[in-house]
């Protein structure tokens, strides 16, 4: 199995060979590791300032493969199989083994490159592609094109000399696009097994966490979200239902720039950049405010699966992060997402996960530089808001509170009826005037100044889809 990833020189990457920093693999060395199914090797066929190609080669051990269970439902599966040749879940496992840090989007040596969009070319000469109707090439287009890739997929015949035998269930897949390297790698890591429609190992509940951890920033808005989820989880209903519910919780409604359900998308220039997910824009806005405030010690109250906690740990100016949530299950998922069990001791000392509630006083949350409530307020019963105010502004009393909540004025743009909320668990959703009135009241009562703004595309009449509120303690400003 072979994957090549090529970067060409661009303003964001003047020296293409700096790709090695992002991959954490030196272009001058051949590196590898042993896996249960064989050996994976990373090497560079070319590395120059103009063009750099990294190759990942997985050589499957056919003896180890034959010792496995074989293909379910097919007695000859352990003896006759395309797995040693067609890239699928085994290649994804190899990527996770040798490119783990690059998949997480970390590069301490060149942090300036982490967020840079690079001109990339990914090539998988033989990618398993089966089922879902329309053929493997069509499925590849449906999976990768919505993520910003130009897709060139050609079906491979079973035997070129005997075309009547049809296709081999394999495509020659080439992807071109301008993306962050970490995004490109996670697309391949998740979608190659989806394209194949099967995995070489038993699918357990941990696969749900893996899917959310790798694709949580882009899968909620993918037009083939249900297909991706179902095929990634081997159509196991309980896992699919769990993943679907958690994806919906990540983003209760489509992005502000996406059409409402049942409406056609507006025509756009094919070269225009795709709208970025609102969940990502929210986290970026919160991080920018925390950096502006100089918040080195931060509490993420209602942290869920830990997406913001992970982003905070990646910021060198953050010394300590506390992720708190009322749900023990969400905290377990956050621990797995952060990979706490294998986190280096120095990094592990910077983070704590606590079970706590936004409506109860908890002295463990007191005295921090900032306390963050991202999409939490609207999940609290209205009669419990005074308890939240006391717990956060009087008891915890951070130097600053950074809060986001939906702007109900934008709901009509999502095709929602009057009175319908963006998520079934929302107890209320406020207009901009309602949030401002609440903020100024609690700010005056507890000695906090108020700054009120928005996140997402700005409608002249109805404002932005997410409201951003920053409360800063006046005696600490």
């Amino acid at each position: 199995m072979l994957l090549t990833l090529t970067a060409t020189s661009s303003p964001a990457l003047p020296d293409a060979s700096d790709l090695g920093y992002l991959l954490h693999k030196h272009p001058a060395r051949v590196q590898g590791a042993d896996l249960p199914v064989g050996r994976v090797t990373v090497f560079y066929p070319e590395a120059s300032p103009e063009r750099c190609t990294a190759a990942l080669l997985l050589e499957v051990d056919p003896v180890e493969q034959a010792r496995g269970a074989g293909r379910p439902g097919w007695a000859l599966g352990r003896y006759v199989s395309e797995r040693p040749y067609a890239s699928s879940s085994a290649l994804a496992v190899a990527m996770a083994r040798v490119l783990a840090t690059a998949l997480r989007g970390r590069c301490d040596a060149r942090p300036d490159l982490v967020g840079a969009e690079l001109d990339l070319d990914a090539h998988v000469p033989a990618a398993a592609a089966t089922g879902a109707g329309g053929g493997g090439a069509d499925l590849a287009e449906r999976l990768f094109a919505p993520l910003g890739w130009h897709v060139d997929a050609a079906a491979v015949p079973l035997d070129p000399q005997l075309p009547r035998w049809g296709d081999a269930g394999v495509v020659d897949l080439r992807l071109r696009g301008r993306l962050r390297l970490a995004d490109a790698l996670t697309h391949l890591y998740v979608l190659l097994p989806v394209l194949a429609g099967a995995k070489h190992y038993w699918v357990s509940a941990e696969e749900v966490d893996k899917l959310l951890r790798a694709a949580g920033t882009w899968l909620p808005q993918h037009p083939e979200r249900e297909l991706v989820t179902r095929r990634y989880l081997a159509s196991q209903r309980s896992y699919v239902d769990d993943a679907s519910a958690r994806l919906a919780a990540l983003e209760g409604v489509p992005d502000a720039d996406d059409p409402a359900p049942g409406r056609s998308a507006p025509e756009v220039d094919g070269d225009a950049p795709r709208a970025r997910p609102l969940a990502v824009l929210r986290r970026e806005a919160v991080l920018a405010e925390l950096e502006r405030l100089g918040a080195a010690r931060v509490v993420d109250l209602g942290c869920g699966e830990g997406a913001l906690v992970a982003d905070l740990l990646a910021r060198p100016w953050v010394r300590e992060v506390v992720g708190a949530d009322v749900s023990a299950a969400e905290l377990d998922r956050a621990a797995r997402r952060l990979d706490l069990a294998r986190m280096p001791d120095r990094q592990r000392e910077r983070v704590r996960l606590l079970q706590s509630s936004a409506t109860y006083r908890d002295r463990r949350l007191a005295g921090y530089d900032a306390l963050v409530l991202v999409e939490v307020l609207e999940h609290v019963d209205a009669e419990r808001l005074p308890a939240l105010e006391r717990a956060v502004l009087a008891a915890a009393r951070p130097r600053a509170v950074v809060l986001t909540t939906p702007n109900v004025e934008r709901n009509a743009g999502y095709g929602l009826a009057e009175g319908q909320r963006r998520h079934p668990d929302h107890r209320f959703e406020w207009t901009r005037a309602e949030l401002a009135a609440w903020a100024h009241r609690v700010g005056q009562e507890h000695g906090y100044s108020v700054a009120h703004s928005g996140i997402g595309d700005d409608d002249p009449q109805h404002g932005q889809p997410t409201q951003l509120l920053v409360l800063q303690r006046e005696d600490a400003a």
Side-chain angles (χ1 to χ4, degrees), residues 189-248:
Y189 173 77
V190 171
L191 295 180
L192 284 176
V194 172
L195 186 62
K199 290 189 173 180
H200 72 286
Y201 56 86
W202 181 257
V203 174
S204 68
E206 292 183 357
E207 293 299 291
V208 179
D209 296 316
K210 286 168 56 178
L211 176 63
L212 271 291
R213 185 166 55 245
T217 58
W218 51 265
L219 185 54
Q221 292 78 35
H222 198 293
E224 298 288 353
R225 182 176 78 182
E226 293 183 6
L227 174 70
V228 171
T229 304
R230 186 176 69 252
R231 288 172 69 94
Y232 189 88
L233 298 172
S235 297
Q236 298 199 42
R237 178 171 294 277
S238 62
Y239 300 157
V240 173
D241 290 346
D242 182 24
S244 298
R246 291 164 62 184
L247 286 167

Side-chain angles (χ1 to χ4, degrees), residues 256-273:
D257 296 326
D258 288 344
R263 296 159 109 188
S264 59
E267 292 186 7
V268 295
D269 184 349
D271 294 328

Side-chain angles (χ1 to χ4, degrees), residues 26 57 77 83-84 150 238 253 272 277-278 317 339 341 344 367 384 401 404 437:
H26 198 289
L57 175 67
R83 287 180 189 162
H150 172 77
S238 62
V253 294
L278 188 55
W317 43 269
D339 203 8
R384 296 291 295 161
V401 175
T404 74

